Amino acid sequence: MKRNQTAEKSILDAAERLFLEKGFVLTSTIMIAKEVGCNQSLVHYYYRSKENLFELVFQKALNTVIAGFTDIDDKNLAFEERLKHCVYNQFEMLQAHPEIVFFLINELSTNPKRLIAVKEQFNTLFSDILQLIGRELKIEINSGKIQPISPIDLILNIFSLNAGVFLHYFISKKLSIFTDEELQIKLEQNKHLNYILIMRSIENIK
């Protein structure tokens, strides 16, 4: 059978929508095929199994989270501005894909093997950025401007604050606690608040 790139992409897009909404266990290749409007054999022809499809979707979600930390190598920025850019950039990546936080947490908590693989990948993908942040932190710590903190702790603190906002967003949206307009206003407020909280947590207050 000749490969049809349009059909192949449609299957992957449908799988992404369903996996993000329902998770791995509650999504089947039959459901994916129905979403696309094709037969199940076509899904298996292009991707062989549900597991292969899921790994592609999971990898994309993980890369989205990580991408928020990678675009901060601007030597013209002072440390505070670089950190602000890092918090904002990662927040905005999640804001564009708010369902990803719940999806990743759910899948990592239900699949220990995937958690181990993510830890290894995390160390590989973050090696360069951790070195960069480590150099910046060392300068600031030695100058007495901030308290001692490791690069990985700083990264995890930023992600924890940002992810917490979008878990709240996910629950609020499901329960219709706020209107979409109110949620967007709260997100913008939380983006800046998270930067302030990070700065205050490392400031060397005398």
Side-chain angles (χ1 to χ4, degrees):
M1 183 186 296
K2 185 178 179 180
R3 298 186 76 88
N4 183 320
Q5 291 185 346
T6 301
E8 192 172 358
K9 185 178 184 304
S10 296
I11 291 170
L12 183 58
D13 290 344
E16 181 177 9
R17 289 192 298 272
L18 289 170
F19 283 135
L20 289 178
E21 179 186 351
K22 301 177 182 297
F24 177 78
V25 174
L26 297 180
T27 300
S28 67
T29 52
I30 294 175
M31 294 167 62
I32 294 168
K34 185 177 180 180
E35 180 85 1
V36 177
C38 68
N39 57 51
Q40 187 182 9
S41 62
L42 194 64
V43 176
H44 286 281
Y45 170 75
Y46 284 120
Y47 294 100
R48 304 302 176 194
S49 67
K50 183 176 84 166
E51 288 75 13
N52 288 343
L53 260 173
F54 182 81
E55 286 304 321
L56 291 172
V57 172
F58 186 87
Q59 187 61 54
K60 181 179 177 182
L62 185 62
N63 287 343
T64 297
V65 171
I66 292 173
F69 292 111
T70 57
D71 184 26
I72 62 169
D73 192 10
D74 185 343
K75 295 180 174 58
N76 295 319
L77 292 178
F79 174 77
E80 291 82 0
E81 284 301 312
R82 193 191 297 263
L83 184 58
K84 182 177 181 179
H85 182 74
C86 184
V87 174
Y88 275 33
N89 196 39
Q90 210 267 332
F91 189 99
E92 288 163 4
M93 284 289 184
L94 297 179
Q95 189 171 5
H97 309 278
E99 71 282 359
I100 280 179
V101 172
F102 184 81
F103 167 76
L104 288 175
I105 291 174
N106 180 59
E107 295 301 332
L108 289 173
S109 63
T110 56
N111 191 327
K113 290 182 179 178
R114 185 169 290 118
L115 180 59
I116 294 171
V118 167
K119 284 181 179 178
E120 293 174 353
Q121 189 174 25
F122 185 89
N123 290 333
T124 301
L125 292 173
F126 266 101
S127 60
D128 290 341
I129 199 66
L130 288 176
Q131 288 181 21
L132 171 65
I133 293 175
R135 290 195 297 270
E136 295 285 332
L137 286 175
K138 187 175 182 179
I139 293 171
E140 298 297 311
I141 292 168
N142 289 341
S143 69
K145 293 179 180 178
I146 65 172
Q147 300 179 48
I149 185 172
S150 70
I152 190 64
D153 282 339
L154 180 60
I155 288 290
L156 290 176
N157 287 348
I158 292 171
F159 176 72
S160 297
L161 281 173
N162 285 344
V165 170
F166 288 96
L167 284 175
H168 175 270
Y169 173 92
F170 179 86
I171 294 170
S172 298
K173 196 164 181 65
K174 288 291 184 182
L175 297 178
S176 301
I177 296 175
F178 303 106
T179 65
D180 287 345
E181 184 179 355
E182 288 172 334
L183 280 174
Q184 292 306 314
I185 292 172
K186 289 180 179 296
L187 286 178
E188 288 302 313
Q189 291 171 340
N190 277 283
K191 180 170 69 174
H192 184 66
L193 177 60
N194 283 358
Y195 164 66
I196 297 298
L197 289 173
I198 288 293
M199 281 303 302
R200 287 181 178 173
S201 71
I202 62 175
E203 283 178 347
N204 199 359
I205 302 173
K206 298 179 180 180

